[in-house]
Amino acid sequence: MRLHIKFSHRIVRNPIISQVVLATKAPINILRARIDHNGGEMLLEVPDEFCKEVKKEFERYGVEVQEVKSVVEHNTDLCVDCGLCVSICPTSAFSFDTDFKLKLHEDRCVQCGLCVTSCPHGALSLVTI
Amino acid sequence: MKTIEEINQKIREGNVCVVRADEMPEIVEELGAEEAAKEVDIVTTGTFGAMCSSGVFLNFGHAEPPIKMQRIWLNDVEAYTGVAAVDAYIGATQLSETRGMEYGGAHVIEDLVLRKSVELRATAYGTDCYPRKEIRTTITIEDLNQAIMVNPRNAYQRYNAATNSTDRTLYTYMGTLLPRFGNVTFSGAGALSPLNNDPEYRTIGIGTRIFLCGARGYVIGEGTQHSPKNHFGTLMVCGNLKEMSPKFLDAATFPKYGTSLYVGIGIPIPILDADMARKTAIKDEDIKVNILDYGIASRNRPVIRTVSYAELKSGKVEINGEEVPVSPLSSYRTALEIADELKKWIERGEFFLSAPVERLPRDREFRPMKHERGVLVRDVMTSPAVTVSADANIKDVAKLIVTSGINHLPVVRNGILVGIVTSFDIAKAVAGGVEGSVEKVMTKNVVTAIPDEGIESAARKMEQHDISALPVITSGRKVIGIVTTEDISKLVGRRYS
Ligand code: SF4
Ligand code: SF4
């Protein structure tokens, strides 16, 4: 499962991720991170069985945690099923189904945003969480 | 043997047999070409992809008082008005002057088809018959007298695929090309594409009725860059924009490249005889294109390898032993839908075939642009150059300089450049009482030029080394001429005065 975490600038310098990993022993994978003067946010991949615990642990440090379901929005009205995004995505999150329609495998997306800027029809956007 | 008239009669009677081009290989394999030609009357084709060479002629009608539009903008995208007072041509790739690449001519065309209002702005110099100098209004497609799509180059028979060898991402009309052969992109529908099913243009020609963006359209001739000799044929087509459907026409923006229009074209191929049955049984495996390296910004891009559409459509090709993901640019799903739609029209008796009034040329080749090549050293050099032998006596060289008035003398041994002396070197030697051969006083490290070098490059060399002449040599260092700053400035004076 993916978790989106958000923390204020006051705790940016604390080694929270490490503390959470040590406390929960969860193998956490950081997919994306952004930190600026307002604080930071991260997209984490956490095995389902650890999710609850990890969430609780983060919240103890004052970190906001949200479960992420959809990460890139695919507007099928705008999409023409060209498939240009297929070879762009580093995690092969797109494929064609048997009717040559574009299929998005959301679970593979790491929100890099490459497909969003490459789609000629503006059919893809990152879900801002 | 069947005629187009016989096929049209079958359409009228409601017993015409229409199949989609992708179904033909199997039919021909099963029945044989002769039988297949008896069974099948029409094969429908389709393609839906970015076709930059597209646009629409618009007629706005006259304002009161009237204006002869000299420049015109539709939603800030300029259209061409050098055709009478209130006619204009809006091209798909023209960009908005306020929004840049996110909106262009293609989007104006799409907005018109979507029945959206479009802002029209025009300026003029004013004449006795057209006194008005400015106009600003809002129009929709209904307000236009005509909106006729005329696309100079559509439906490429096949198109080379693209990749990128460099270490930076490239943004092209073939889409985003990832560094170090990160991906391959290709265009066209392969065996479903119209021209691949009639490669000798027996049935597709001037006047052929076609499916164009959901409306009836026509082939009006060979497309620009039509290059049938190497199977890169193209079509010029026209159709009524007012009847077109947004389902089969789509504006696009290729990041950091610009706008383009996705155009849907379907062409019915009459199966007149076994030969046409055989031709329409073409498979993706049979259609070969090159993968070109767009990392080299030249019109002669290097070929990385040759592949078939079947390989491209598989989603992966091998380059230098690595599997590279492949993306289409065209929508195969929509191409199939177009072939199906055209099939339905024919079966319902709403669409009849037309025989071409003229065939398309089959012997053309696309030639590169002829443009002035830059001026080269060979164009301005003095040739042959006066040279001296390495063992020539300094005194003799001094005499030669006085009589010939030449300031720079390449020094050669058996015709091969070994040094250079200037009149200053010789004068200094004579004044200093140096005697012997010229070898003693020559400069050995000679800065040189080659005949095919641009004069800008030669001028830069002379400036950098603070010298005023360069011996012009062959790859074997044979002196064939000399170029001086004087030669270049004379030319620059002539060109710019
Ligand atoms: S690039 Fe855009 S339009 Fe093309 S298939 Fe992907 S999402 Fe659809
Ligand atoms: S955002 Fe990145 S990872 Fe997600 S689908 Fe697009 S290209 Fe793939």
Side-chain angles (χ1 to χ4, degrees):
Chain A
M1 176 158 300
R2 277 120 203 266
L3 296 180
H4 179 253
I5 62 167
K6 222 168 143 182
F7 41 92
S8 80
H9 65 281
R10 276 190 302 274
I11 52 173
V12 160
R13 296 179 59 88
N14 302 356
I16 297 174
I17 300 266
S18 317
Q19 282 164 340
V20 170
V21 169
L22 287 173
T24 62
K25 299 212 165 50
I28 292 176
N29 190 13
I30 302 173
L31 301 178
R32 233 157 48 102
R34 186 191 60 79
I35 292 163
D36 60 23
H37 53 274
N38 292 318
E41 47 182 339
M42 281 183 190
L43 187 68
L44 309 176
E45 175 94 63
V46 183
D48 288 359
E49 61 270 28
F50 288 97
C51 257
K52 245 183 162 173
E53 217 183 322
V54 166
K55 195 166 178 231
K56 230 173 43 212
E57 199 62 23
F58 270 122
E59 279 163 354
R60 249 168 33 94
Y61 293 102
V63 176
E64 275 177 54
V65 186
Q66 257 184 335
E67 282 180 15
V68 179
K69 294 233 162 58
S70 146
V71 277
V72 51
E73 194 164 359
H74 176 215
N75 183 329
T76 50
D77 286 340
L78 293 175
C79 176
V80 302
D81 301 301
C82 64
L84 203 49
C85 50
V86 173
S87 71
I88 294 290
C89 175
T91 63
S92 311
F94 298 101
S95 66
F96 283 119
D97 68 12
T98 46
D99 291 333
F100 301 98
K101 269 202 156 121
L102 187 78
K103 206 160 76 186
L104 167 62
H105 308 265
E106 286 187 339
D107 53 320
R108 294 190 201 153
C109 173
V110 294
Q111 278 213 315
C112 71
L114 262 175
C115 61
V116 175
T117 47
S118 299
C119 170
H121 300 272
L124 299 168
S125 50
L126 285 185
V127 182
T128 40
I129 327 145
Chain B
M1 275 295 271
K2 260 178 277 183
T3 65
I4 294 210
E5 201 25 62
E6 279 161 15
I7 295 173
N8 280 341
Q9 186 55 32
K10 283 186 165 183
I11 299 177
R12 258 174 240 121
E13 289 164 3
N15 56 13
V16 67
C17 173
V18 190
V19 307
R20 226 167 52 186
D22 57 313
E23 299 163 344
M24 261 323 251
E26 215 176 300
I27 295 174
V28 170
E29 197 169 309
E30 217 171 276
L31 303 179
E34 298 287 340
E35 272 310 301
K38 279 185 205 147
E39 286 287 315
V40 178
D41 300 311
I42 300 170
V43 165
T44 59
T45 61
T47 185
F48 185 71
M51 305 195 195
C52 290
S53 184
S54 299
V56 180
F57 276 106
L58 307 165
N59 180 282
F60 304 102
H62 287 295
E64 182 60 31
I67 180 169
K68 175 175 176 284
M69 296 171 171
Q70 191 190 5
R71 294 188 72 188
I72 164 176
W73 295 263
L74 296 161
N75 284 350
D76 289 337
V77 181
E78 187 161 15
Y80 178 73
T81 49
V83 277
V86 290
D87 283 319
Y89 183 79
I90 178 101
T93 59
Q94 186 77 277
L95 300 181
S96 155
E97 288 179 4
T98 48
R99 293 170 65 187
M101 287 191 189
E102 91 186 44
Y103 192 92
H107 297 82
V108 174
I109 295 167
E110 184 183 52
D111 280 347
L112 286 170
V113 170
L114 289 167
R115 266 63 195 164
K116 287 192 189 164
S117 13
V118 168
E119 191 209 41
L120 179 159
R121 192 157 52 83
T123 57
Y125 47 82
T127 71
D128 288 342
C129 44
Y130 293 110
R132 192 174 192 130
K133 288 190 174 165
E134 223 179 17
I135 196 157
R136 194 185 272 267
T137 181
T138 306
I139 55 151
T140 70
I141 196 167
E142 318 295 346
D143 303 322
L144 298 166
N145 290 310
Q146 280 80 24
I148 300 171
M149 178 179 274
V150 178
N151 301 343
R153 178 172 67 259
N154 277 180
Y156 253 112
Q157 198 161 348
R158 59 189 72 179
Y159 206 82
N160 283 323
T163 191
N164 169 18
S165 66
T166 68
D167 49 18
R168 61 189 187 94
T169 301
L170 299 178
Y171 300 91
T172 73
Y173 61 86
M174 293 296 285
T176 305
L177 298 174
L178 303 174
R180 292 174 292 276
F181 303 113
N183 66 341
V184 168
T185 63
F186 74 99
S187 187
L192 191 64
S193 273
L195 288 178
N196 278 326
N197 286 276
D198 184 8
E200 281 158 20
Y201 319 127
R202 282 184 61 198
T203 68
I204 303 174
I206 299 177
T208 300
R209 191 178 289 120
I210 62 169
F211 173 108
L212 182 59
C213 303
R216 251 175 225 84
Y218 298 90
V219 172
I220 55 177
E222 63 180 295
T224 54
Q225 296 183 18
H226 179 59
S227 195
K229 265 194 169 167
N230 45 15
H231 312 291
F232 281 74
T234 71
L235 297 176
M236 194 178 289
V237 300
C238 80
N240 188 352
L241 191 75
K242 292 190 177 197
E243 295 167 2
M244 291 181 187
S245 151
K247 223 168 124 184
F248 301 111
L249 172 155
D250 223 300
T253 293
F254 287 96
K256 298 190 196 169
Y257 169 74
T259 62
S260 186
L261 190 68
Y262 273 59
V263 173
I265 294 183
I267 302 187
I269 315 281
I271 306 303
L272 303 173
D273 49 29
D275 173 55
M276 287 310 295
R278 231 172 274 125
K279 292 273 156 54
T280 50
I282 190 167
K283 292 191 199 131
D284 283 333
E285 286 82 347
D286 308 328
I287 308 170
K288 299 268 195 300
V289 288
N290 292 328
I291 301 178
L292 302 184
D293 181 6
Y294 275 59
I296 309 296
S298 155
R299 67 184 176 203
N300 295 319
R301 297 191 176 97
V303 175
I304 300 299
R305 56 167 294 204
T306 304
V307 286
S308 71
Y309 267 86
E311 284 174 88
L312 291 170
K313 283 184 183 174
S314 77
K316 283 191 176 77
V317 295
E318 213 187 271
I319 294 179
N320 302 334
E322 299 233 12
E323 219 174 53
V324 177
V326 183
S327 270
L329 238 75
S330 314
S331 167
Y332 193 65
R333 201 258 307 141
T334 316
L336 287 171
E337 205 177 331
I338 288 167
D340 279 335
E341 188 78 9
L342 182 56
K343 179 178 153 149
K344 261 189 253 159
W345 287 3
I346 296 169
E347 285 169 345
R348 287 200 298 250
E350 294 164 2
F351 187 103
F352 291 89
L353 305 193
S354 65
V357 292
E358 206 91 65
R359 286 178 72 177
L360 299 178
R362 274 159 295 150
D363 54 356
R364 289 249 198 296
E365 234 171 333
F366 177 44
R367 290 166 304 156
M369 185 196 260
K370 185 175 143 213
H371 54 85
E372 207 180 288
R373 64 169 168 84
V375 181
L376 305 179
V377 165
R378 66 159 78 247
D379 301 328
V380 296
M381 68 184 182
T382 305
S383 177
V386 178
T387 60
V388 292
S389 164
D391 46 26
N393 193 286
I394 292 176
K395 274 197 196 120
D396 294 338
V397 175
K399 261 184 228 156
L400 179 65
I401 286 173
V402 173
T403 51
S404 68
I406 292 172
N407 285 320
H408 301 86
L409 290 166
V411 182
V412 295
R413 187 173 284 131
N414 305 325
I416 306 296
L417 182 73
V418 291
I420 190 165
V421 284
T422 64
S423 47
F424 180 71
D425 297 332
I426 296 298
K428 211 167 66 173
V430 171
V434 184
E435 283 184 16
S437 73
V438 72
E439 221 170 342
K440 280 189 188 161
V441 293
M442 71 183 186
T443 304
K444 285 195 188 104
N445 281 328
V446 194
V447 185
T448 59
I450 56 166
D452 284 334
E453 191 168 335
I455 56 162
E456 292 81 7
S457 151
R460 211 173 315 122
K461 275 186 195 168
M462 289 193 264
E463 198 185 315
Q464 271 167 7
H465 293 94
D466 198 17
I467 52 180
S468 50
L470 302 172
V472 183
I473 58 169
T474 64
S475 53
R477 294 191 71 79
K478 245 180 122 159
V479 179
I480 54 169
I482 190 158
V483 62
T484 64
T485 43
E486 217 176 304
D487 295 332
I488 292 176
S489 51
K490 251 192 287 180
L491 176 95
V492 172
R494 211 170 48 233
R495 279 175 102 200
Y496 298 104
S497 63

